Amino acid sequence: MYDIIIIGGGPAGLSCAIYARRAGLSCIVIERGFIGGQMTTTYSIENYPGIKQISGFDLAEAMRESAESLGCEFTEADVTEIRDLGEVKEVYMGEDKLSSKVIVLAMGAYRRKLGVNGEDRFTGSGVSYCATCDGNFFKDKNVTVVGGGNTALEDALYLSGFANKVTLMHRRDEFRGARHLSKLVLANDKIDVMYDTVLTDISGKFNVSAVTAQNVKTKEKTELPMDGVFIAVGTVPETGVVKGLVTLDEAGYILTDETLKTNIPGIFAAGDIRKKELRQVVTAAADGAIAAHMAGRYINEELSK
């Protein structure tokens, strides 16, 4: 039986593994895909403290190597069920089962896609789901932001500090985001707003060079020269396997306190999977460290009674 089972091998899970092993706790990371999570899809990371520039893949590999060098185990599997038996937790991967004293949920969240032509092809080559990650690459260029909620409005405002022109497309005739953000967007000379508009196509040769927009009322289509597309139509947390086990908010994110405890003793949540304001590699890594620390405290103080 392990001290900690970490479900998810992104920056939160990897950071948790490093801190767990440094505290002398046995742990295993379960990841169903590539180690690193969303981080590996980022061509260049330039906002991680102490590192001027690194690819998401290389940072993920460095984190994994650090955890492995400390003795953390890794396995590739799809978690199908989690059971809370009090002082013992069970994680099922089909017919296989692992047991532990603590579980750290770090499965992350993924950006909701538009599902339009060219989106997958140009992801990482002009299509982005994170303005704060990639905005600096579009200095003095023309970009599109798709969405009408707070994230889209904030992205448009953020990108206006880099881009030559920001075109904000929203399928409705008014924004869903906060009123004060809407006012800031509408007052910004570098932001053009296209209401009642959906993006239907992203095109280019090696990188994005144009997009096609369609008015939902008139059905008229317009092709616009464009260097980048930022999609901000929401995120989806990977919480399907824990529905009915831990408390989720209305959007499906796990609710925790500041020590990353869920409503179940011995189950913690870290990274993008939990309800929080900022989802970045650095905040996920910080969550992982806190989760490992609190897991150790739980084992030493609560389970030793």
Side-chain angles (χ1 to χ4, degrees):
M1 183 170 71
Y2 293 94
D3 289 321
I4 307 176
I5 293 175
I6 303 165
I7 306 176
L14 293 171
S15 174
C16 183
I18 291 168
Y19 276 78
R21 287 301 301 143
R22 285 178 61 85
L25 302 171
S26 62
C27 67
I28 185 170
V29 174
I30 304 173
E31 173 58 61
R32 68 180 181 184
F34 291 105
I35 289 293
Q38 288 189 79
M39 175 169 58
T40 60
T41 66
T42 303
Y43 175 75
S44 181
I45 295 174
E46 298 182 355
N47 57 1
Y48 196 83
I51 299 177
K52 185 175 181 180
Q53 187 278 330
I54 190 171
S55 73
F57 179 83
D58 287 343
L59 182 56
E61 281 295 296
M63 288 183 175
R64 174 175 181 147
E65 289 173 4
S66 179
E68 282 184 323
S69 71
L70 293 168
C72 180
E73 297 179 35
F74 288 82
T75 187
E76 183 177 335
D78 193 0
V79 173
T80 55
E81 185 182 0
I82 298 171
R83 294 180 185 177
D84 171 38
L85 305 180
E87 293 187 358
V88 175
K89 318 297 180 188
E90 294 181 342
V91 176
Y92 288 81
M93 300 153 289
E95 296 181 356
D96 297 325
K97 180 187 74 172
L98 293 174
S99 300
S100 66
K101 300 172 184 177
V102 170
I103 290 175
V104 175
L105 305 170
M107 297 89 81
Y110 59 92
R111 296 295 182 116
R112 183 175 285 112
K113 293 187 175 184
L114 289 176
V116 301
N117 181 54
E119 181 178 6
D120 289 338
R121 177 187 171 191
F122 291 108
T123 295
S125 298
V127 172
S128 173
Y129 300 87
C130 181
T132 54
C133 303
D134 300 327
N136 188 53
F137 299 121
F138 294 87
K139 185 175 177 61
D140 298 326
K141 295 181 181 292
N142 297 321
V143 300
T144 292
V145 175
V146 182
N150 284 343
T151 299
L153 299 177
E154 290 170 350
D155 284 358
L157 290 167
Y158 179 79
L159 291 167
S160 69
F162 299 96
N164 173 60
K165 180 65 69 175
V166 178
T167 301
L168 178 56
M169 298 182 186
H170 182 41
R171 61 181 178 176
R172 297 188 174 92
D173 59 3
E174 60 179 275
F175 295 125
R176 294 179 292 107
R179 182 172 297 180
H180 75 280
L181 290 174
S182 300
K183 289 182 177 179
L184 289 173
V185 165
L186 295 174
N188 192 313
D189 292 338
K190 295 183 71 175
I191 301 175
D192 288 338
V193 177
M194 296 179 69
Y195 293 114
D196 299 319
T197 301
V198 293
L199 187 148
T200 61
D201 186 85
I202 303 169
S203 58
K205 188 173 183 181
F206 301 109
N207 299 290
V208 172
S209 62
V211 299
T212 301
Q214 181 177 35
N215 186 287
V216 297
K217 294 180 177 178
T218 66
K219 306 303 180 184
E220 180 182 358
K221 289 187 177 182
T222 305
E223 184 173 292
L224 304 170
M226 203 66 60
D227 300 297
V229 178
F230 289 83
I231 298 171
V233 292
T235 55
V236 182
E238 294 275 12
T239 49
V241 74
V242 294
K243 285 183 179 178
L245 177 64
V246 297
T247 303
L248 310 177
D249 72 0
E250 62 281 358
Y253 290 96
I254 298 173
L255 297 178
T256 70
D257 64 10
E258 65 179 8
T259 65
L260 307 191
K261 296 177 182 177
T262 69
N263 60 301
I264 303 295
I267 298 182
F268 299 81
D272 290 1
I273 199 171
R274 73 182 188 94
K275 184 176 182 179
K276 59 193 296 188
E277 289 297 320
L278 183 64
R279 293 183 172 87
Q280 295 280 279
V281 174
V282 68
T283 59
D287 276 4
I290 295 169
H293 175 73
M294 296 310 301
R297 178 176 292 182
Y298 169 80
I299 292 170
N300 293 328
E301 297 180 3
E302 298 297 324
L303 298 186
S304 62
K305 291 181 179 179

